[in-house]
């Protein structure tokens, strides 16, 4: 309420808050900020698994409860430098915007001398490939790159995309790769229900694309206390689990291609 009041007076308030605590203010976000399209920036710490803080502090629901609200922009940073760019961009954005980042230290990316304005709603193509496209959202981008490395070692061509923006979604880039790929993989530190993978499925369906989608994320459950790495392995948010779920689609497509080649011959 304080942030909304400041915004109506011409200020651009930054609200630094845990993702899990922001959900308590859902009605205020809808009614007092987004309905009026006010210039409020929500900086959501602990976006994703919060480890030993436990189920009350895991920020696993913010994509679901924010992307449904009109006027809201939702960004997810993959490293420190990108987070700085997102904060800088938020200063120049008209309307409400939420920026999500995980608990703990980042991957150690060096910061530019001056942050740059981002093109909101535009994904970054990290590497090109044709048979699979992996969308590694936020903190899971490094894991997406590891998955790509494993699949390439098995002889498959893999693209990796850093989505950066959950809302608006870069549907053009995602659909461009999905049209030629045998499988799309979404990876998010968030529940699967209503999350980033759901947004991708909606986008592909709206465009009439039927490319299979493998979604990696948290199940429909409250996640217990524990070491983040151990919990991710337990719930299948790992390189090994992602490769295991993706390979059948690639092998099936490869077998179909060989069968078609024999028929033509």
């Amino acid at each position: 309420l304080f942030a909304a009041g400041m915004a109506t007076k011409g200020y651009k308030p930054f609200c630094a808050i845990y993702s899990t605590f922001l959900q308590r203010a859902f009605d205020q976000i809808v009614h007092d900020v987004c309905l009026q399209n006010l210039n409020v920036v929500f900086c959501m710490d602990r976006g994703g698994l919060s480890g030993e803080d436990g189920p009350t502090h895991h920020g696993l629901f913010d994509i679901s409860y924010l992307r449904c609200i009109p006027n809201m922009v939702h960004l997810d940073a993959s490293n420190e430098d990108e987070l700085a760019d997102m904060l800088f961009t938020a200063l120049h954005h008209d309307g409400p915007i939420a920026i999500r980042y995980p608990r703990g230290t980042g991957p150690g990316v060096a910061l530019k001398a001056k942050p740059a304005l981002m093109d909101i709603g535009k994904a970054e193509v990290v590497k090109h490939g044709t048979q699979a496209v992996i969308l590694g959202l936020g903190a899971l981008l490094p894991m997406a790159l590891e998955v790509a490395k494993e699949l390439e070692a098995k002889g498959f061509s893999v693209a990796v995309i850093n989505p950066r923006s959950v809302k608006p979604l870069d549907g053009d880039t995602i659909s461009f790769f999905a049209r030629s790929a045998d499988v799309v993989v979404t990876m998010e530190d968030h529940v699967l229900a209503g999350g980033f993978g759901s947004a991708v499925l909606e986008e592909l369906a709206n465009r009439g694309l039927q490319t299979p989608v493998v979604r990696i994320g948290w199940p429909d459950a409250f996640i217990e206390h524990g070491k983040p790495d151990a919990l991710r392995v337990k719930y299948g948010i790992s390189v090994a689990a992602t490769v295991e779920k993706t390979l059948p689609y690639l092998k099936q497509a490869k077998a179909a291609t060989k069968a078609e080649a024999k028929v033509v011959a």
Side-chain angles (χ1 to χ4, degrees):
L1 287 173
F2 175 76
M6 294 294 288
T8 58
K9 296 178 181 179
Y11 297 96
K12 184 184 282 288
F14 275 67
C15 302
I17 187 170
Y18 288 7
S19 165
T20 186
F21 295 165
L22 186 62
Q23 66 201 26
R24 304 175 187 179
F26 180 78
D27 185 58
Q28 285 76 24
I29 298 170
V30 175
H31 184 273
D32 298 323
V33 177
C34 291
L35 182 63
Q36 302 176 74
N37 202 29
L38 296 180
N39 296 328
V40 177
V41 182
F42 297 98
C43 302
M44 299 183 297
D45 186 14
R46 285 168 166 75
L49 192 71
S50 191
E52 295 179 321
D53 285 342
T56 59
H57 283 57
H58 296 321
L60 301 178
F61 309 113
D62 57 84
I63 293 176
S64 299
Y65 72 73
L66 289 179
R67 76 178 183 91
C68 62
I69 308 175
N71 293 328
M72 176 62 78
V73 169
H74 194 303
L75 307 179
D76 200 334
S78 64
N79 59 54
E80 302 92 329
D81 188 56
E82 193 167 72
L83 176 58
D85 289 345
M86 288 180 178
L87 291 170
F88 184 68
T89 300
L91 284 171
H92 296 81
H93 175 71
D94 290 326
I97 184 168
I99 304 171
R100 184 178 201 259
Y101 49 95
R103 175 191 180 187
T105 58
V109 172
L111 298 178
K112 297 187 293 291
K114 181 180 179 181
L117 283 173
M118 292 178 57
D119 187 358
I120 292 176
K122 185 63 178 176
E124 175 193 16
V125 179
V126 180
K127 68 185 299 296
H128 286 268
T130 57
Q131 293 172 287
V133 53
I134 306 175
L135 308 173
L137 183 66
L140 293 195
L141 180 60
M143 189 183 295
L145 288 167
E146 287 298 315
V147 172
K149 186 177 178 181
E150 292 282 338
L151 293 174
E152 286 174 336
K154 298 180 184 296
F156 298 102
S157 176
V158 183
V160 177
I161 293 175
N162 173 16
R164 303 198 293 191
S165 177
V166 175
K167 184 181 181 183
L169 195 67
D170 188 351
D172 289 341
T173 296
I174 293 171
S175 61
F176 173 82
F177 282 90
R179 282 191 178 94
S180 62
D182 299 317
V183 62
V184 174
V185 182
T186 64
M187 303 183 70
E188 59 189 301
D189 196 6
H190 187 273
V191 293
L192 293 174
F196 172 68
S198 294
V200 171
L201 281 170
E202 293 165 11
E203 184 67 25
L204 296 181
N206 289 340
R207 292 173 182 253
L209 298 177
Q210 298 181 0
T211 310
V213 178
V214 172
R215 294 183 302 148
I216 303 298
W218 296 95
D220 184 19
F222 289 107
I223 307 303
E224 68 270 26
H225 293 71
K227 297 292 185 182
D229 288 345
L231 289 173
R232 290 191 179 104
V233 170
K234 177 180 177 179
Y235 288 97
I237 304 171
S238 65
V239 173
T242 305
V243 170
E244 182 181 359
K245 291 179 180 179
T246 305
L247 270 177
Y249 294 95
L250 294 172
K251 289 180 178 178
Q252 182 179 8
K254 187 176 181 179
T257 300
K258 287 183 178 179
E260 289 175 5
K262 287 183 180 179
V263 172
V264 172

